[in-house]
Amino acid sequence: MSSKNKIVSILIIAANVLLCTSVYANSDTNWDYPTSRIVEAKKIENKLFMTTSTVQWSADQLKLFQSNNASKQFFPALSYKVTGSDELRSKLMLTNAPGAKFTRKLATYAEGEEIKLSIQNTTHLVADKPYVFYTAWLHTADSDSQVSLRSMQRYSQPNGTLNDLSKTDDEIARITFDKAEPINKKYREIYLPESFDSPFKQYTAEEEAAADVNKVKSYALIDSKEKLESYKRENAQRLKFASDQSKVQFAVTFKNNGFTRPDLLAKEYNLNLSQIYASGIKENGEEYTVSWYDTGMEVISLMNLKESGFKKFEVTELEGTAYVGDLQKMSQISNVDVIEIQGENERQVPTGVHWLNVRYGN
């Protein structure tokens, strides 16, 4: 079989998974497993743990991902999974991967937390380019803790949700707190809020209630600038005519024309924020996606432990829950691009469209 025919066959089989007609795992061609992998870990006293992974994918691998066909939107993903305990809490994530979205699986008494990085904008992935996946963790125990770095394949179901492709989850490396390189810095010098390490402030009630119910919304059908603008208009109308007394999950995307304070917006519009996204632009124009959960956290303190020198840093998206009436008022702010709300009885949770704005030059 020619290489071209083999690739077509693989895509057809993978599409069958999407349609739930078969289960597939390609053991010979591991599309997602990076060709280059460098893993580093650092710590500050017994309190902060920083994990950094730098990975690359080959041109041959990217050919299997880079498709504009809405029914074949497969993409690589990475995750940090805390093994054997719930002693680590993710506080901030950072990556230069295009179309990045972070999802968090909450820790339980039996399992540790998991942070998953989905790289959705595969058309902007560059072969053999180093991509960074950084997470800063709060270490809540005196004992050693371990994190497993993993790779997997995901797919974006048309008009549905993001899903893992079965039997593609592979461990790349095991990272331990005890073996992390100590940084010559005191924890108190980071100037974090008092609530940062409070055992009662790690997860919101809304997050815990929705943890096993909802999935992240797929944007696979938005494959052009025109469809993106149409999607924004549809969501503006949906918000306008929704019942103002309804409490909904939402995602707001901001325009790149002003400074946004999540804490002030949360107070003024009664928002219960669950996740915040920001864009950091380097001098060479490269964009980093930064995300965190704590509205009151001074994010620069944690971010600068890994990256500094952004010439521009702006909040791009907010996720959380709020009353429709408050969201309707917030939609009138000049730098609000679009507010998406989760419909009644829907499991699809919106996460914002900044990455699509970047993809289509909006």
Side-chain angles (χ1 to χ4, degrees):
M1 179 184 293
S2 69
S3 59
K4 181 177 179 181
N5 289 337
K6 184 177 181 181
I7 291 173
V8 171
S9 299
I10 291 171
L11 289 175
I12 291 172
I13 295 171
N16 286 336
V17 177
L18 187 64
L19 299 173
C20 300
T21 58
S22 67
V23 177
Y24 169 76
N26 181 12
S27 59
D28 296 326
T29 307
N30 201 342
W31 306 352
D32 59 283
Y33 200 87
T35 54
S36 175
R37 306 159 297 278
I38 301 173
V39 180
E40 301 173 291
K42 296 183 179 181
K43 61 185 175 184
I44 295 178
E45 298 185 88
N46 197 45
K47 300 289 286 186
L48 286 177
F49 185 40
M50 287 78 71
T51 54
T52 303
S53 300
T54 305
V55 302
Q56 299 177 27
W57 288 279
S58 70
D60 288 340
Q61 287 175 299
L62 297 189
K63 288 176 185 177
L64 300 172
F65 286 114
Q66 293 174 330
S67 168
N68 291 319
N69 188 328
S71 67
K72 298 176 182 177
Q73 291 299 306
F74 297 88
F75 50 89
L78 298 168
S79 74
Y80 287 125
K81 187 172 184 178
V82 180
T83 59
S85 71
D86 64 350
E87 297 169 350
L88 291 171
R89 292 289 183 273
S90 58
K91 291 295 185 176
L92 177 135
M93 295 80 67
L94 179 149
T95 186
N96 61 335
K101 287 294 180 180
F102 299 99
T103 50
R104 176 170 63 166
K105 183 178 180 181
L106 308 187
T108 66
Y109 288 109
E111 291 186 318
E113 188 173 290
E114 181 179 17
I115 292 294
K116 189 172 292 181
L117 164 61
S118 298
I119 305 172
Q120 295 177 261
N121 191 0
T122 56
T123 58
H124 285 188
L125 276 172
V126 177
D128 302 319
K129 173 182 170 64
Y131 290 105
V132 173
F133 177 21
Y134 166 83
T135 298
W137 309 81
L138 171 69
H139 189 227
T140 65
D142 293 328
S143 59
D144 189 20
S145 297
Q146 291 189 355
V147 173
S148 172
L149 171 66
R150 315 187 71 83
S151 74
M152 67 205 71
Q153 298 165 28
R154 306 199 81 200
Y155 65 92
S156 190
Q157 187 180 40
N159 207 28
T161 57
L162 300 189
N163 301 274
D164 295 334
L165 194 59
S166 177
K167 300 182 181 179
T168 63
D169 187 339
D170 295 300
E171 183 174 273
I172 296 175
R174 211 44 97 87
I175 312 165
T176 63
F177 182 84
D178 281 358
K179 294 181 180 179
E181 177 187 349
I183 295 178
N184 187 23
K185 198 177 187 73
K186 298 295 184 183
Y187 174 69
R188 66 176 181 272
E189 295 173 0
I190 310 298
Y191 301 110
L192 297 166
E194 292 183 4
S195 62
F196 182 84
D197 58 357
S198 168
F200 304 106
K201 296 286 187 178
Q202 302 307 316
Y203 301 135
T204 66
E206 288 81 7
E207 280 183 295
E208 293 182 337
D212 298 321
V213 177
N214 297 319
K215 283 190 172 185
V216 173
K217 180 181 179 67
S218 161
Y219 295 90
L221 295 181
I222 302 176
D223 57 3
S224 68
K225 184 173 183 177
E226 292 71 26
K227 288 184 180 180
L228 175 57
E229 290 306 310
S230 176
Y231 176 80
K232 292 178 184 179
R233 290 192 295 270
E234 291 170 3
N235 277 270
Q237 290 297 304
R238 185 180 196 181
L239 177 64
K240 180 179 179 180
F241 293 107
S243 169
D244 61 0
Q245 297 301 311
S246 298
K247 194 170 187 179
V248 295
Q249 287 197 267
F250 74 91
V252 54
T253 303
F254 297 99
K255 300 173 184 176
N256 295 326
N257 62 354
F259 183 69
T260 302
R261 284 279 301 272
D263 55 336
L264 297 182
L265 286 177
K267 184 177 181 180
E268 184 172 356
Y269 296 101
N270 305 306
L271 311 177
N272 292 314
L273 297 181
S274 58
Q275 191 159 358
I276 302 164
Y277 280 92
S279 168
I281 306 296
K282 291 285 202 175
E283 288 292 338
N284 63 1
E286 184 175 30
E287 181 178 47
Y288 281 70
T289 299
V290 185
S291 186
W292 65 100
Y293 310 104
D294 187 346
T295 309
M297 187 177 75
E298 180 50 65
V299 67
I300 299 298
S301 299
L302 279 182
M303 188 173 63
N304 282 349
L305 294 174
K306 174 59 184 175
E307 291 288 345
S308 59
F310 289 137
K311 69 174 185 179
K312 187 177 180 181
F313 185 78
E314 293 179 334
V315 171
T316 56
E317 294 150 323
L318 302 176
E319 298 175 36
T321 57
Y323 285 100
V324 167
D326 290 318
L327 295 174
Q328 290 169 337
K329 295 175 185 176
M330 190 172 69
S331 69
Q332 302 305 309
I333 299 175
S334 61
N335 70 327
V336 168
D337 187 12
V338 61
I339 297 178
E340 306 165 73
I341 60 175
Q342 183 182 22
E344 188 176 358
N345 300 320
E346 284 184 355
R347 290 189 61 193
Q348 304 173 20
V349 181
T351 60
V353 296
H354 172 76
W355 72 276
L356 288 166
N357 283 339
V358 172
R359 181 173 183 175
Y360 297 114
N362 286 17

